[in-house]
Amino acid sequence: MTTHAGQSPELWAFVASNLLTFLVGAGLSAVAYRAYRRERARALLLAAGGFACLTLGTVVEATYELLLNPGSHAVGRELFLLRTVEGVTIAVGLALLVLSVRWM
């Protein structure tokens, strides 16, 4: 089933879930950064960076597919590179969160 514009409901679900992820992640990053500015605790700055990296890592594929490469899908080596960038960004975010918890 497709909509009148030729876009599938699955595409809209993909866009909506990534937009929700971005909004929640950006909100968490902003709250942690404001807490850092108020308390000047380095752990809170690391937490803000960790949430920002996690958010970026989860929306990198959607950004690439919808904005940088519209109309075609990543395949082969391009897909592996995209997933690698996504995985490394998420790993950095998780590492920053671990450091922030350790320094609290």
Side-chain angles (χ1 to χ4, degrees):
M1 178 177 147
T2 60
T3 62
H4 61 82
Q7 303 296 333
S8 69
E10 292 85 4
L11 174 66
W12 290 110
F14 177 71
V15 169
S17 67
N18 277 281
L19 182 61
L20 181 62
T21 299
F22 176 77
L23 292 174
V24 171
L28 279 169
S29 297
V31 167
Y33 183 72
R34 281 188 294 190
Y36 161 73
R37 290 194 51 174
R38 184 180 62 244
E39 302 294 328
R40 292 293 179 199
R42 187 178 190 132
L44 293 169
L45 184 60
L46 287 171
F51 288 129
C53 284
L54 283 171
T55 302
L56 178 65
T58 57
V59 299
V60 73
E61 183 178 2
T63 302
Y64 179 79
E65 292 287 347
L66 299 174
L67 300 177
L68 301 176
N69 193 26
S72 62
H73 299 288
V75 294
R77 294 180 76 191
E78 185 179 53
L79 181 60
F80 283 123
L81 179 59
L82 181 61
R83 298 268 167 90
T84 300
V85 169
E86 183 179 27
V88 167
T89 308
I90 290 171
V92 168
L94 289 172
L96 288 173
L97 286 175
V98 166
L99 285 174
S100 75
V101 171
R102 297 259 318 160
W103 280 354
M104 287 188 126

